[in-house]
Amino acid sequence: MVHYKLSYFPIRFAGEVPRQILAYAGQNFEDDRIPQSVWPTIKSKMPFGTLPVLYVDGRPLGQSHAISRYLARQFGINGRCPWEEAQVNAIADQFKDYFNEIRTYNLVKMGFAEGDSEKLYADTFLPNFKKNFQFFTNFLKSSGAGFLIGDSLTWVDLLIAQHTSDLLSDSGSVFAASSSIFDDFPELKAHQKKIHSIPNIKKWIETRPATPL
């Protein structure tokens, strides 16, 4: 039996989707949550000096999206054909672009930088949120099955649903925003409820450690 170990900080953020993929698959894994105090002593041992890192029988794999793509392929939620897989990857890459666009806002919200969070919310977060969530809504409508791509779960459903949940404060996130931002995106609110009602995902969310991000 393959041994999976997911090393990340004791927060959700970039480590949460890989954890949810493993939980969805019913796969036992070592949920290695590394305290900030320990991180400087092991940083140089990581493939890219960053977390998360997935260990597969001791072999390390860095970068959160690479980890998610690998696990999704292992457990059958990476798209049912090469075209669907490419579309899944396109959404994941667009989500990464979106996070880069709101990075300054996120850093202030997380307490890692100084700035006017209300101004950044209005000027940086909100326009980029609206632009990108319209993209994601378009995919959801095109699918017509309640999933972003095709007629079954893919890992980008987990990615978008978790971010939606964080914005709605369903998970006690520091990123919680006014629920009114979803007035124009009711499909994605329904999508989040659908994805987080999947039994193994629901169980994971109910039992995972409570963290602010």
Side-chain angles (χ1 to χ4, degrees):
M1 182 179 291
V2 177
H3 179 262
Y4 294 98
K5 173 182 173 181
L6 196 285
S7 294
Y8 191 55
F9 300 113
I11 56 176
R12 292 185 305 276
F13 210 53
E16 184 61 16
V17 170
R19 291 173 183 144
Q20 288 190 17
I21 296 171
L22 289 160
Y24 169 77
Q27 175 65 53
N28 290 328
F29 70 100
E30 186 179 348
D31 187 12
D32 179 33
R33 296 179 179 242
I34 298 172
Q36 284 284 353
S37 59
V38 174
W39 172 235
T41 67
I42 63 172
K43 181 176 181 178
S44 64
K45 300 176 183 178
M46 301 299 111
F48 302 108
T50 59
L51 292 175
V53 171
L54 174 71
Y55 295 89
V56 183
D57 285 339
R59 296 179 298 168
L61 175 65
Q63 293 294 341
S64 60
H65 280 195
I67 292 168
S68 294
R69 287 179 173 118
Y70 171 79
L71 290 174
R73 180 172 286 185
Q74 292 297 105
F75 299 117
I77 56 169
N78 206 38
R80 290 183 168 177
C81 65
W83 177 252
E84 284 192 4
E85 183 175 342
Q87 294 287 82
V88 167
N89 287 338
I91 291 175
D93 288 348
Q94 182 60 36
F95 186 84
K96 185 174 284 190
D97 286 349
Y98 160 56
F99 249 51
N100 284 334
E101 291 166 344
I102 64 171
R103 183 173 182 271
T104 303
Y105 169 74
N106 281 345
L107 288 173
V108 170
K109 288 291 286 184
M110 290 187 290
F112 295 144
E114 294 184 1
D116 185 335
S117 62
E118 292 185 6
K119 180 173 174 53
L120 286 167
Y121 178 87
D123 297 345
T124 300
F125 168 75
L126 206 52
N128 284 300
F129 164 81
K130 290 181 177 180
K131 178 183 73 174
N132 284 280
F133 268 63
Q134 186 59 60
F135 293 152
F136 304 145
T137 297
N138 293 343
F139 277 94
L140 198 57
K141 288 181 175 179
S142 179
S143 160
F147 301 101
L148 288 161
I149 297 296
D151 59 1
S152 61
L153 181 77
T154 64
W155 71 272
V156 288
D157 288 304
L158 302 177
L159 179 71
I160 303 303
Q162 182 57 53
H163 185 54
T164 297
S165 177
D166 287 338
L167 293 175
L168 290 170
S169 77
D170 287 359
S171 50
S173 173
V174 299
F175 299 114
S178 169
S179 61
S180 65
I181 65 172
F182 281 92
D183 288 351
D184 293 332
F185 307 108
E187 298 87 356
L188 283 164
K189 281 185 73 172
H191 172 262
Q192 182 264 322
K193 291 181 187 283
K194 176 185 177 74
I195 300 307
H196 285 184
S197 294
I198 294 170
N200 278 4
I201 299 299
K202 185 174 185 288
K203 180 180 178 181
W204 169 257
I205 290 171
E206 289 174 347
T207 58
R208 69 189 175 188
T211 61
L213 59 107

